[in-house]
């Protein structure tokens, strides 16, 4: 009796008809073949070879819960060795040894969900089974592990990530997390508990004697926003997203940190990259709290030897966002939150004007850690391990202070205010005295003297002469600075220091200037 689609060669079947030769047999229908009739081209070969574990023609009864399933030996053997193949192999072997009729095969009864097994039976029959949601996924996964179906386990391992976030179901392709910095993440680490590798069977449980698989809850994160996560997926797919305001940006960054998507977080932080034609350099403006130690470098050509701490060459601190920027840019550091106070050391006749910056609160801690990292990049000795430099507290028992770093002496940081720095003092533009002196004065010395007096720092409206303001101070609401590495001309502290060079400052001269900028709560 013929059991395939045909027989090769010129064999005559029982009805006396001669089949055509194998050269004239049309290509088989894509499916599962027990015996390949012709050698098909690789591009055409869509059939799956089934091992001869059980007789392919036999039908084996399996009762799952209250429903009876009848599967052929070919279907059971298509994903084997499994719980089913081993059970019926033992039945056939025992019948053969006892000389019994192999047709009397006992029904295998398993107390599991028949609805889930319908999908598993479709898989055994050669259909692709796609999980519908997280609940369906964990049911398929648990039963595939329990029945020891290696092919289905491997397929489910390669499937998308099914998870509920904010009570909304998401189906996430794993390749979305292939970008640098986005893996490992919350999903790859969280799924590793039960869905780590296809060979792992319920990690932590003994498979021997396991009556049923443990109950697995569908993955869910109910305490995060579904709308925000949908926007994160939109960004991961490569589409642009309009940031509505800073609160919107903070929501995205907060969830990126929660899900451990470091690469996307670096793309979302507030920054500005531009080419400074006057300096002929690419610049990146970044907030102090967003600086990461892995992005810091010193502005030297990569082909140059390591920087010499005793060199008199002026260098600038560069920065590249980790996982994002292809090259470093000259760093313009933005320091806000009114944590900086500038102390003037001399009269305004000098250019640039020397100052000392005093930092407070978190700003002092962050600038100290930043100086420690810069010192490490310069191969200067430091008392703290590199891995703890940017963390609060660090490894040193001393309080965070720029004076505890090799790049600074004392708690105050050296600063310079040059003529090209833009300053807004008490809500009005402030001009450097030297820039005023260089302007052409069409009205003679009287106008020049009036402009010079207005350039003082004696509160709103100025009014005090330059010579009387040498010991005054400014409170910086927000400031942008370049970090310059230079020789300090002294033997102490390795002879090198980090100086802040003002780029743009929004300052007040005292309480009067700060109060003038206040607003009423009513709007």
């Amino acid at each position: 009796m013929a059991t395939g689609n045909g027989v090769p060669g010129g064999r005559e079947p029982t009805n006396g008809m001669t089949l055509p030769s194998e050269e004239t047999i049309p290509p088989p229908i894509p499916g599962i073949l027990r015996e390949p009739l012709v050698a098909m081209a690789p591009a055409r070969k869509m059939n799956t070879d089934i091992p001869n574990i059980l007789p392919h023609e036999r039908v084996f009864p399996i009762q799952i819960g209250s429903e009876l399933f009848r599967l052929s030996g070919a279907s059971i053997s298509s994903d084997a060795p499994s719980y089913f193949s081993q059970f019926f192999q033992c039945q056939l072997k025992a019948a053969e040894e006892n000389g019994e009729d192999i047709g009397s095969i006992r029904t295998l009864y398993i107390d599991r969900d028949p609805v889930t097994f319908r999908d598993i039976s479709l898989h055994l029959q050669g259909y692709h089974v796609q999980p519908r949601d997280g609940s369906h996924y964990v049911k398929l996964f648990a039963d595939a592990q329990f029945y020891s179906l290696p092919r289905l386990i491997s397929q489910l391992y390669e499937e998308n990530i099914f998870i509920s976030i904010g009570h909304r179901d998401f189906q996430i392709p794993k390749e979305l997390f292939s970008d640098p910095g986005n893996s490992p993440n919350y999903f790859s680490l969280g799924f590793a508990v039960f869905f780590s590798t296809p060979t792992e069977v319920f990690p932590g449980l003994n498979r021997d004697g396991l009556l049923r698989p443990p109950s697995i809850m569908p993955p869910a994160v109910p305490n995060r926003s579904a709308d925000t996560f949908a926007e994160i997926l939109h960004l991961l797919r490569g589409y642009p997203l309009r940031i509505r305001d800073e609160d919107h940006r903070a929501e995205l960054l907060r969830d990126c940190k929660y899900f451990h998507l470091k690469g996307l977080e670096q793309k979302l932080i507030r920054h500005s990259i531009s080419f400074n034609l006057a300096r002929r350099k690419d610049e990146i403006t970044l907030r102090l709290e967003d600086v990461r130690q892995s992005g810091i470098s010193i502005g030297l050509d990569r082909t140059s030897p390591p920087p010499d701490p005793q060199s008199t060459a002026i260098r600038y601190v560069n920065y590249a966002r980790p996982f994002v920027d292809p090259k470093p840019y000259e760093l313009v550091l933005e320091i806000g939150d009114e944590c900086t106070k500038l102390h003037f050391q001399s009269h305004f006749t000098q250019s640039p004007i020397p100052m000392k910056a005093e930092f407070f609160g978190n700003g002092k801690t962050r600038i100290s850690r930043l100086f420690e990292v810069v010192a490490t990049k310069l191969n200067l000795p430091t008392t703290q391990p590199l891995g703890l430099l940017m963390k609060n507290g660090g490894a040193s028992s001393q309080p965070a202070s720029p004076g505890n770093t090799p790049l600074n002496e004392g708690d105050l940081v050296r600063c310079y205010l040059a003529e090209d720095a833009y300053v807004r003092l008490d809500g009005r533009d402030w001009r450097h005295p030297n820039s005023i002196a260089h302007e052409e004065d069409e009205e003679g010395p009287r106008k020049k003297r009036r402009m010079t007096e207005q350039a003082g720092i004696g509160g709103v409206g100025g009014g005090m002469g330059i010579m009387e303001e040498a010991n005054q101070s400014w409170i910086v609401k927000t400031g942008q600075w370049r970090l310059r590495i230079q020789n300090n001309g002294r033997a102490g502290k390795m002879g090198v220091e980090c100086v802040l060079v003002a780029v743009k400052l929004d300052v007040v001269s005292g309480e009067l200037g700060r109060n003038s900028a206040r607003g009423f709560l009513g709007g």
Side-chain angles (χ1 to χ4, degrees):
M1 180 177 178
T3 58
N5 292 337
V7 290
R11 293 179 55 192
E12 294 186 1
T14 55
N15 59 7
M17 295 180 61
T18 302
L19 293 176
S21 62
E22 63 181 27
E23 287 80 5
T24 62
I25 295 178
I29 298 174
I32 298 179
L33 296 183
R34 295 193 302 107
E35 295 180 2
L37 298 181
V38 293
M40 293 175 291
R44 177 62 178 155
K45 188 173 183 180
M46 300 174 60
N47 304 294
T48 303
D49 295 330
I50 299 179
N52 292 315
I53 296 178
L54 294 175
H56 290 185
E57 302 86 356
R58 293 294 303 270
V59 176
F60 298 90
I62 304 174
Q63 184 167 347
I64 306 295
S66 60
E67 191 168 338
L68 180 63
F69 295 85
R70 296 182 180 273
L71 296 176
S72 67
S75 294
I76 296 177
S77 301
S78 67
D79 197 352
S82 65
Y83 185 90
F84 311 116
S85 65
Q86 292 177 357
F87 175 83
F88 290 116
Q89 274 184 314
C90 292
Q91 291 286 312
L92 294 175
K93 184 178 180 181
E96 184 179 354
E97 291 177 351
N98 298 330
E100 300 174 355
D101 182 12
I102 61 174
S104 58
I105 298 297
R106 288 190 305 156
T107 299
L108 172 61
Y109 175 77
I110 303 176
D111 189 16
R112 296 295 292 170
D113 178 28
V115 177
T116 303
F117 192 78
R118 288 174 197 164
D119 293 323
I120 294 178
S121 65
L122 289 175
H123 160 76
L124 295 174
Q125 291 166 348
Y127 297 96
H128 178 76
V129 177
Q130 175 74 34
R132 294 182 292 271
D133 51 34
S135 178
H136 188 215
Y137 178 87
V138 296
K139 288 180 180 179
L140 283 175
F141 184 86
D143 279 6
Q145 292 275 22
F146 183 67
Y147 300 140
S148 299
L149 299 170
R151 195 159 59 88
L152 181 56
I153 294 173
S154 178
Q155 174 189 322
L156 292 174
Y157 172 73
E158 298 296 336
E159 279 287 351
N160 296 336
I161 296 173
F162 294 86
I163 192 169
S164 173
I165 296 179
H167 306 289
R168 186 191 303 177
D169 291 330
F170 288 90
Q171 182 176 339
I172 311 169
K174 291 184 178 181
E175 56 267 19
L176 283 184
F177 303 126
S178 60
D179 291 341
N182 292 331
S183 183
N185 52 59
Y186 178 92
F187 307 99
S188 61
L189 296 175
F191 270 59
V193 177
F194 286 106
F195 318 118
S196 55
T197 62
T199 57
E200 285 282 345
V201 181
F202 306 124
L205 293 180
N206 184 7
R207 184 67 176 86
D208 298 333
L210 184 65
L211 295 178
R212 62 181 58 184
S215 176
I216 305 176
M217 290 290 294
V221 187
N223 60 337
R224 311 310 294 182
S225 168
D227 294 334
T228 301
F229 187 73
E231 292 176 331
I232 289 177
L233 291 183
H234 188 75
L235 288 168
L236 288 173
R237 292 187 176 102
Y239 293 97
L241 180 68
R242 185 178 67 86
I243 306 296
R244 296 186 295 271
D245 49 39
E246 287 305 304
D247 290 337
H248 184 208
R249 186 189 303 275
E251 290 178 0
L252 293 170
L253 287 172
R254 182 168 56 249
D255 278 11
C256 283
K257 293 178 181 179
Y258 183 87
F259 295 118
H260 210 66
L261 301 173
K262 293 183 177 181
L264 183 58
E265 177 189 348
Q266 289 299 309
K267 291 181 180 180
L268 287 173
I269 60 174
R270 190 77 177 185
H271 69 283
S272 175
I273 298 177
S274 61
F275 178 73
N276 189 331
L277 185 60
R279 296 174 59 85
R280 297 182 180 275
K281 290 184 178 180
D282 292 305
E283 296 178 339
I284 180 171
T285 304
L286 205 67
R287 292 170 176 169
L288 175 61
E289 56 267 27
D290 294 328
V291 174
R292 299 294 177 265
Q293 68 177 42
S294 58
I296 298 174
S297 61
I298 307 302
L300 289 177
D301 185 44
R302 294 183 178 181
T303 59
S304 302
D308 181 9
Q310 303 299 333
S311 173
T312 58
I314 294 178
R315 292 155 284 173
Y316 286 88
V317 174
N318 287 5
Y319 190 82
R321 291 172 298 164
F323 315 113
V324 177
D325 293 329
K327 64 176 184 179
Y329 311 98
E330 188 172 274
L331 176 61
V332 178
L333 187 65
E334 183 172 308
I335 306 175
D337 299 329
E338 293 190 29
C339 65
T340 311
K341 190 172 185 179
L342 299 179
H343 302 276
F344 293 91
Q345 297 178 288
S346 62
H347 303 298
F348 282 10
T349 55
Q350 297 187 24
S351 181
I353 301 173
M355 303 178 293
K356 288 281 189 177
E358 183 180 4
F359 294 94
F360 301 88
N362 291 333
K364 183 177 183 180
T365 302
R366 290 176 178 140
I367 201 70
S368 301
R369 304 310 175 203
L370 176 60
F371 275 31
E372 287 282 4
V373 175
V374 173
T376 304
K377 301 292 183 178
L378 289 168
N379 298 323
L380 298 179
T382 178
T383 59
Q384 301 186 27
L386 181 60
L388 298 175
L389 294 181
M390 300 296 285
K391 295 183 179 179
N392 290 335
S396 175
S397 59
Q398 298 179 347
S401 171
N404 296 332
T405 70
L407 290 174
N408 197 74
E409 293 186 2
D411 290 342
L412 304 184
V413 179
R414 186 186 301 273
C415 306
Y416 287 119
L417 179 62
E419 299 177 16
D420 55 3
Y422 174 80
V423 179
R424 189 164 182 82
L425 172 63
D426 294 333
R428 299 192 307 177
D429 292 349
W430 180 87
R431 304 285 301 280
H432 193 287
N434 285 3
S435 64
I436 298 175
H438 293 160
E439 293 181 354
E440 294 184 1
D441 191 350
E442 297 179 355
E443 298 185 9
R446 181 179 302 174
K447 178 183 178 182
K448 181 176 180 180
R449 181 169 56 254
R450 183 172 66 253
M451 294 177 64
T452 304
E453 290 176 353
Q454 291 177 352
I457 56 177
V460 178
M464 299 183 67
I466 297 176
M467 300 300 293
E468 298 174 336
E469 296 299 330
N471 296 322
Q472 293 297 316
S473 61
W474 284 349
I475 298 175
V476 183
K477 299 171 65 176
T478 305
Q480 293 181 351
W481 310 84
R482 291 188 180 91
L483 278 70
R484 188 170 73 187
I485 309 299
Q486 65 182 26
N487 193 302
N488 60 14
R490 296 185 296 273
K493 288 278 185 176
M494 300 299 296
V496 70
E497 64 180 347
C498 184
V499 177
L500 300 181
V501 180
V503 176
K504 183 177 181 179
L505 303 177
D506 182 9
V507 299
V508 293
S509 58
E511 188 67 13
L512 176 61
R514 192 178 189 280
N515 290 340
S516 66
R518 287 180 182 271
F520 293 103
L521 297 180

